[in-house]
């Protein structure tokens, strides 16, 4: 009975956050679905598989799919305390290094291959807050041409109790430097909430506003995302 109530609470809050962030002109808002599976092999290695729809740095709406490998340090006690209700084990680690590949497709656009390399630092703050800073480099190539982008995403989150359940609201910002325009051409802002369900499932519902200045006139993109994250482990500790 208690778990059933948790399920109902999770779904209710998920849809509430999605619709609460929809602007009046809903037809201008894109929907970004995502599926993300993680398998922890041991205390320092985790495998990830991601499939998602997205629009990044002014690109058209596209689908991307591919694997990653994450390497991280042992968890810190203070970080474990502030991330106790977050199923993403990587957030309890001070430093996380990730390398991966993505295959991208979009309507009426040549397919794109992307290599990614990211380094994320997590810091515990007072009052139960967590700040994460991710530095990521993307190398894209299609039709024999290559481009790159650097992106820095800072996220602030805190678990909030609702009776015996804990949801995790967050805000984030992510500026992009793109080689195509040789400047900081995009800034993405996020507001969302994580909804843990049991030991292996976590939903992420968010609103994204993106300002693109690469081309004239400037372009504003908005989207609502809903991600399903799965977490499993072979680690016996």
């Amino acid at each position: 009975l208690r778990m059933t109530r948790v399920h109902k609470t999770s779904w209710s809050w998920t849809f509430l956050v999605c619709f609460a962030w929809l602007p009046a002109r809903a037809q201008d808002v894109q929907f970004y679905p995502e599926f993300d599976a993680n398998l922890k092999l041991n205390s320092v290695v985790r495998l990830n598989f991601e499939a998602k729809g997205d629009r990044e740095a002014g690109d058209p709406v596209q689908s991307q799919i591919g694997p990653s490998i994450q390497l991280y340090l042992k968890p810190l006690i203070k970080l474990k305390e502030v991330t106790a209700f977050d199923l993403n084990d990587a957030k309890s680690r001070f430093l996380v290094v990730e390398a991966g590949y993505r295959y991208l497709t979009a309507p009426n656009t040549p397919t794109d291959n992307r290599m990614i390399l990211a380094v994320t630092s997590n810091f515990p703050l007072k009052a139960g807050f967590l700040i994460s800073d991710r530095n990521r480099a993307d190398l894209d190539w299609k039709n024999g041409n290559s481009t790159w982008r650097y992106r820095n995403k800072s996220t602030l989150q805190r678990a909030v109790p609702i009776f015996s359940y804990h949801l995790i609201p967050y805000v984030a910002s992510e500026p992009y430097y793109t080689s195509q325009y040789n400047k900081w051409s995009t800034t993405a802002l996020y507001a969302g909430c994580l909804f843990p369900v049991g030991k292996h499932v976590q939903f992420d519902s968010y609103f994204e506003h993106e300002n693109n200045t690469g081309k004239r006139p400037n372009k504003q993109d908005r989207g609502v995302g809903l991600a399903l994250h799965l977490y499993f482990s072979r680690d016996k500790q």
Side-chain angles (χ1 to χ4, degrees), residues 2 29 44 49 77 120 122 134 148 172 194 202 223 236-237:
R2 182 173 299 177
V29 178
V44 296
F49 178 82
I77 295 178
T120 303
N122 299 296
R134 184 186 70 182
W148 61 268
L194 303 175
Q202 185 160 275
K236 301 303 182 180
Q237 69 174 13

Side-chain angles (χ1 to χ4, degrees), residues 27-226:
Q27 64 270 25
D28 295 335
V29 178
Q30 298 292 332
F31 175 64
Y32 305 137
E34 179 179 347
F35 171 79
D36 190 63
N38 300 270
L39 176 61
K40 182 179 175 183
L41 298 182
N42 53 49
S43 61
V44 296
V45 180
R46 187 172 75 175
L47 301 180
N48 167 271
F49 178 82
E50 179 185 80
K52 64 184 296 187
D54 205 350
R55 169 183 279 173
E56 298 176 335
D59 292 337
V61 177
Q62 58 192 4
S63 299
Q64 54 180 289
I65 185 171
S68 297
I69 183 171
Q70 296 176 339
L71 307 175
Y72 40 53
L73 302 177
K74 293 183 178 180
L76 300 180
I77 295 178
K78 290 186 177 180
L79 280 173
K80 291 185 69 174
E81 292 175 353
V82 299
T83 61
F85 301 100
D86 193 327
L87 300 187
N88 188 353
D89 178 68
K91 293 181 183 178
S92 67
R93 316 300 176 109
F94 173 71
L95 190 67
V96 181
V97 178
E98 178 179 3
Y101 166 80
R102 297 293 183 269
Y103 180 78
L104 293 83
T105 60
N108 304 315
T109 302
T111 57
D112 193 352
N113 295 277
R114 173 176 295 170
M115 297 296 298
I116 64 174
L117 179 63
V119 179
T120 303
S121 299
N122 299 296
F123 304 93
L125 301 178
K126 293 183 178 180
F129 284 94
L130 170 72
I131 185 169
S132 300
D133 184 71
R134 184 186 70 182
N135 293 277
R136 172 172 159 175
D138 297 342
L139 175 62
D140 293 7
W141 68 94
K142 60 182 176 182
N143 289 343
N145 298 317
S146 63
T147 58
W148 61 268
R149 64 179 59 157
Y150 165 74
R151 45 204 289 193
N152 175 238
K153 186 174 185 179
S154 298
T155 305
L156 181 68
Q157 70 175 57
R158 186 186 188 280
V160 176
I162 298 181
F163 299 105
S164 61
Y165 182 73
H166 289 75
L167 53 82
I168 309 170
Y170 67 88
V171 292
S173 65
E174 186 173 27
Y176 292 67
Y177 186 96
T178 57
S179 65
Q180 181 180 359
Y181 305 112
N182 291 318
K183 67 176 183 178
W184 295 94
S185 62
T186 299
T187 300
L189 302 176
Y190 304 85
C193 195
L194 303 175
F195 302 90
V197 180
K199 296 181 179 180
H200 304 290
V201 178
Q202 185 160 275
F203 291 96
D204 180 2
S205 171
Y206 64 91
F207 171 75
E208 176 184 354
H209 179 273
E210 192 173 274
N211 182 45
N212 301 292
T213 62
K215 298 180 180 179
R216 295 185 178 181
N218 295 354
K219 186 180 180 183
Q220 308 285 326
D221 292 324
R222 293 168 293 176
V224 171
L226 182 59

